[in-house]
Amino acid sequence: MEAVSACPSFSARDYKSDVKPVWCPGCGDYSVLSSITKAMAELSVPPENVALVSGIGCSSRIPAYTNVFGFHGVHGRALPIATGLKISRPELTVIASGGDGDGFSIGGNHFMHACRRNVDMTYIVMDNEVYGMTKGQASPTTAPDWEKSKLTPEGTGINPFRPLVIALASGANFIARSFSGDPNHSARMIAEAIRHPGFSFVQILSPCVTFRPEQRDWKAGIRQAPVDATTDAARAARRLMTDDGFNIGVLFRGDRKPFQPSMKARVESVRDLEKEFRI
Ligand code: SF4
Ligand code: MG
């Protein structure tokens, strides 16, 4: 279990800040914010023991709307910041969050290596298959035939990035999907992800009602994954390779040991190098 200090007396409201979100009315991210605070309340982790790190984009504003320690970072770099934080402060519950453009394009390399490294933290991606903040360009998860962006009037013509497959192949220890239209389910997935040791990845389908209004129809296609979780990576891979993107639930639970190097040993090693090279 990730570093969660039990304390029974918190409600979701205790994790919300007084900053009013500036998201468009109807944006799915409101609901994800609510799910994150509900998950925190379920785990009863004191707000001062949580750090929420984000990159850049509409959904990356989320740390400002919570009452936990937050870091609104650099585009695509939420994961390396969160990794460094967790390694130096293992007692904290560390969550990284952001969108599909931030996490899978500029942050794509960090995503793969965070899965591989398996540091004990949780990554929540609010996926709306578009760059919303910069007014509706195709993102890595956009379908090839989406023609509404001025930059890709004939569609992207390229296969979308498949984050859950990449996460599994790269070594993520927990993989789940949820839908912002079902905030209780999302809260449950987030809480389970935080409880599970190692790198946990939760994709939350979160409609951009402004640039992808057709995503309001996602609700009709959402279904519970046939079997809630498997610990068999080969079976999870078969399922994810044929997945249409609308199965929600825990799709993989691994048992890899989290990576938690000793900072003391590393600092001593750097000091030795400094002496050797007289830096
Ligand atoms: Fe949400 Fe899209 Fe508006 Fe951004 S542009 S706040 S993702 S609805
Ligand atoms: Mg997006």
Side-chain angles (χ1 to χ4, degrees):
M1 181 169 165
E2 290 179 26
V4 173
S5 311
C7 179
S9 57
F10 294 102
S11 71
R13 183 70 197 85
D14 294 318
Y15 302 92
K16 282 199 174 122
S17 75
D18 295 330
V19 179
K20 195 171 175 316
V22 294
W23 293 315
C24 309
C27 176
D29 296 350
Y30 285 99
S31 176
V32 180
L33 170 62
S34 163
S35 299
I36 290 174
T37 59
K38 270 188 198 160
M40 292 294 149
E42 185 188 323
L43 297 167
S44 280
V45 51
E48 66 272 22
N49 287 359
V50 183
L52 182 54
V53 180
S54 69
I56 296 293
C58 294
S59 53
S60 288
R61 290 179 166 133
I62 210 158
Y65 307 144
T66 70
N67 204 21
V68 302
F69 283 103
F71 192 100
H72 191 177
V74 186
H75 205 2
R77 313 297 179 208
L79 287 173
I81 295 165
T83 301
L85 178 58
K86 181 66 185 183
I87 286 186
S88 56
R89 294 286 308 275
E91 75 280 13
L92 295 179
T93 296
V94 175
I95 302 170
S97 65
D100 42 295
D102 181 73
F104 305 143
S105 184
I106 191 166
N109 200 20
H110 294 306
F111 177 55
M112 285 190 292
H113 290 285
C115 294
R116 181 175 76 90
R117 205 169 278 120
N118 199 31
V119 169
D120 194 8
M121 61 188 193
T122 296
Y123 185 36
I124 301 166
V125 173
M126 288 155 260
D127 194 344
N128 54 15
E129 303 177 0
V130 76
Y131 283 92
M133 184 178 260
T134 47
K135 304 215 177 302
Q137 298 81 23
S139 83
T141 51
T142 303
D145 56 354
W146 183 64
E147 299 171 341
K148 296 278 164 52
S149 168
K150 288 187 180 134
L151 291 181
T152 49
E154 296 174 339
T156 66
I158 50 177
N159 283 345
F161 188 84
R162 299 179 66 181
L164 281 69
V165 176
I166 304 281
L168 183 70
S170 306
N173 216 28
F174 177 99
I175 299 171
R177 181 188 289 122
S178 191
F179 172 52
S180 65
D182 188 345
N184 288 334
H185 183 270
S186 300
R188 209 172 72 236
M189 293 299 101
I190 293 167
E192 286 198 39
I194 292 171
R195 279 196 189 103
H196 196 82
F199 186 82
S200 298
F201 170 53
V202 184
Q203 178 198 40
I204 304 184
L205 305 175
S206 180
C208 172
V209 293
T210 299
F211 296 105
R212 302 295 308 264
E214 73 280 12
Q215 291 175 347
R216 291 178 192 274
D217 297 339
W218 271 354
K219 191 169 187 177
I222 296 291
R223 71 191 87 81
Q224 184 65 48
V227 182
D228 196 30
T230 174
T231 53
D232 177 347
R235 194 163 157 226
R238 279 195 295 277
R239 177 194 287 173
L240 291 175
M241 287 304 289
T242 54
D243 175 63
D244 67 356
F246 289 100
N247 288 301
I248 61 169
V250 180
L251 299 164
F252 178 67
R253 282 179 213 273
D255 59 1
R256 289 175 62 214
K257 189 168 172 272
F259 178 63
Q260 183 62 50
S262 152
M263 285 305 287
K264 188 165 172 281
R266 293 202 169 204
V267 168
E268 280 165 9
S269 163
V270 169
R271 289 209 176 117
D272 288 347
L273 279 173
E274 284 172 349
K275 273 188 212 144
E276 193 179 333
F277 293 103
R278 296 175 195 198
I279 299 168

